[in-house]
Amino acid sequence: MEEKKMKQKMHVVSGVLKGMMILFAVAAVLDLTGVVLCTAIPQKMEQVLLAGSFWIEGGTIGEAKMMLLFEIFHLLLLEWTLYDVYQIFQENKDESSPFQIRNIKRIKRIALLAVLNLTAINFFVGLGTGAAIYGVAVIFEYGCKLQKLEDETL
């Protein structure tokens, strides 16, 4: 009964993650559209950007494009991170143990992606978050070894 509840929770979490991935993909496409429009019709886009809330006074179209490209980069890193987390939940709702080598690799990749994404915001927050997530991967490695021992014992 407890395993059934856990699988239901994993199903819900993987559904939420899938929804978030869709939202971030839409945001990245919208940002990319902004870059294309800033390139194609810079005068019109300047008027649009001046009406928006995120335009920096005295900013240029080139700066707006760079800001949008930077945001696209971060959204893609976040998308990749969410995909790895989604894969962990998606696969483990069907399996008996999350302690799998592929999950350890995913968690280590999530740690690297967190460092890449967060160090742009704050260097120490990025490193600290990456180290904490990498620590979870180390715990999963240990769990994987224990799982293998248990499987061999039976």
Side-chain angles (χ1 to χ4, degrees), residues 29-134:
V29 168
L30 290 174
D31 285 345
L32 187 58
T33 303
V35 171
V36 170
L37 290 174
C38 283
T39 303
I41 50 172
Q43 291 80 15
K44 280 283 186 198
M45 284 308 294
E46 189 169 350
Q47 292 171 357
V48 171
L49 292 171
L50 283 172
S53 61
F54 72 95
W55 184 253
I56 300 169
E57 193 68 36
T60 65
I61 288 294
E63 290 169 348
K65 284 195 292 190
M66 287 306 295
M67 184 178 71
L68 289 169
L69 289 170
F70 188 71
E71 186 174 327
I72 290 169
F73 173 73
H74 284 286
L75 285 169
L76 292 175
L77 288 177
L78 188 55
E79 187 80 24
W80 194 0
T81 303
L82 288 174
Y83 180 74
D84 276 340
V85 175
Y86 170 79
Q87 285 296 106
I88 291 170
F89 279 95
Q90 190 67 22
E91 286 181 7
N92 289 311
K93 73 179 184 182
D94 300 326
E95 295 183 20
S96 59
S97 173
F99 299 109
Q100 306 290 331
I101 297 293
R102 63 183 172 271
N103 286 340
I104 295 166
K105 289 178 182 177
R106 287 180 180 133
I107 295 169
K108 287 180 179 178
R109 188 171 43 237
I110 290 167
L112 177 63
L113 291 168
V115 169
L116 290 173
N117 212 356
L118 295 174
T119 51
I121 298 167
N122 183 307
F123 182 76
F124 295 109
V125 169
L127 286 181
T129 303
I133 295 170
Y134 191 84

Side-chain angles (χ1 to χ4, degrees), residues 1-2 5 7 12 18-19 23 34 37 46 54 59 71 100 114 120 128 139 146-147 152:
M1 187 67 165
E2 195 65 34
K5 279 185 174 181
K7 288 182 187 284
V12 169
K18 193 175 203 174
L23 287 175
L37 290 174
E46 189 169 350
F54 72 95
E71 186 174 327
Q100 306 290 331
I139 292 169
L146 290 177
Q147 183 73 45
E152 288 173 356

